[in-house]
Amino acid sequence: MAEGAIGPTLYSQAEIAAVIERLAAEIASDYRGKPLLLLGVLKGAICFTADLARALVRQADGPSEIMVDYISVQRYGSLGSSGGQARLAMDCGPSIAGANVLITDDIADNGRTLQFLQTLLRERGPASLRTCTLFDRPARREVDVPIDYPGIVIPNVFAIGYGLDYKELYRNLPYLAELREGITV
Ligand code: IMP
Ligand code: MG
């Protein structure tokens, strides 16, 4: 794999795994005995959703059933510091009405993707709707969006790995790194 754009490590594989175990324990206790639908946001949440789903299996007295689905949101317009509209690029399975839905995303950045999704999904009548993000960058938040299970607060640098991409590359890095200095986003 081309390693040219990989900068210093922000969080190692082991550090990320520990945070996911902590999130899984909290989620397992809140959804004890109830069916739970993990809804991953493509493409950034591929790694996190898969690891969280498996971490939940290791929890005693967790959800009665765990289902996994994905949904895809595309941002368009003037991306960057502010603005940029969101639109549904690929919908999830047929119905989430009556389900306990937990949105799982890689990172809460300016918050517009999650705000769009929460509004869209709430209209479909889930029994409950919560949001879990592995990474959180509150410094860049532009809209007030509830994150029920925030993982790691990260610094205000462009990050790659563990689902996060730079030009569609590096999603498969098993840890989180900074984009190398001098590379423009
Ligand atoms: P927002 O919260 O609507 O700004 O969008 C967040 C989405 O932008 C995330 O789900 C990521 O897919 C992407 N994103 C935000 N920050 C980064 C980053 O540092 N590296 C790579 N992708 C990012
Ligand atoms: Mg994303």
Side-chain angles (χ1 to χ4, degrees), residues 6-21 51 134-135 152 154-155 159-162 172-178:
I6 305 174
T9 299
L10 286 167
Y11 294 95
S12 70
Q13 199 171 352
E15 286 171 313
I16 290 172
V19 171
I20 294 176
E21 288 300 318
D51 282 348
L134 178 58
F135 303 113
I152 313 174
I154 68 165
I160 52 173
Y162 205 80
N172 58 323
L173 271 189
Y175 57 93
L176 192 76
E178 252 180 72

Side-chain angles (χ1 to χ4, degrees), residues 75 105-107 109-113 137 158-159 164-165:
R75 295 272 305 279
D105 206 356
D106 50 358
I107 179 168
D109 192 40
N110 70 31
R112 290 181 193 279
T113 303
R137 201 189 277 123
F158 194 85
L164 294 162
D165 73 304

Side-chain angles (χ1 to χ4, degrees), residues 17-154:
V19 171
I20 294 176
E21 288 300 318
R22 196 247 302 153
L23 289 169
E26 213 179 313
I27 291 164
S29 134
D30 289 353
Y31 291 91
R32 180 163 299 152
K34 298 178 183 168
L36 174 64
L37 171 64
L38 298 179
L39 190 58
V41 186
L42 292 174
K43 304 172 194 170
I46 48 166
C47 300
F48 176 46
T49 308
D51 282 348
L52 181 67
R54 286 174 289 187
L56 281 167
V57 172
R58 293 192 286 274
Q59 302 294 318
D61 294 330
S64 56
E65 296 173 313
I66 293 170
M67 289 155 283
V68 181
D69 201 354
Y70 284 92
I71 194 163
S72 175
V73 177
Q74 227 171 38
R75 295 272 305 279
Y76 64 97
S78 54
L79 287 174
S81 59
S82 76
Q85 306 292 307
R87 73 168 185 91
L88 190 63
M90 187 203 84
D91 207 347
C92 58
S95 178
I96 60 159
N100 294 305
V101 178
L102 180 62
I103 300 170
T104 56
D105 206 356
D106 50 358
I107 179 168
D109 192 40
N110 70 31
R112 290 181 193 279
T113 303
L114 288 168
Q115 185 183 58
F116 169 81
L117 264 182
Q118 288 179 1
T119 306
L120 177 90
L121 297 172
R122 203 170 288 118
E123 283 167 6
R124 298 180 179 180
S128 66
L129 181 66
R130 288 185 185 166
T131 299
C132 175
T133 69
L134 178 58
F135 303 113
D136 187 11
R137 201 189 277 123
R140 278 179 40 98
R141 201 77 93 249
E142 292 173 7
V143 291
D144 191 19
V145 67
I147 311 293
D148 305 280
Y149 304 98
I152 313 174
V153 172
I154 68 165

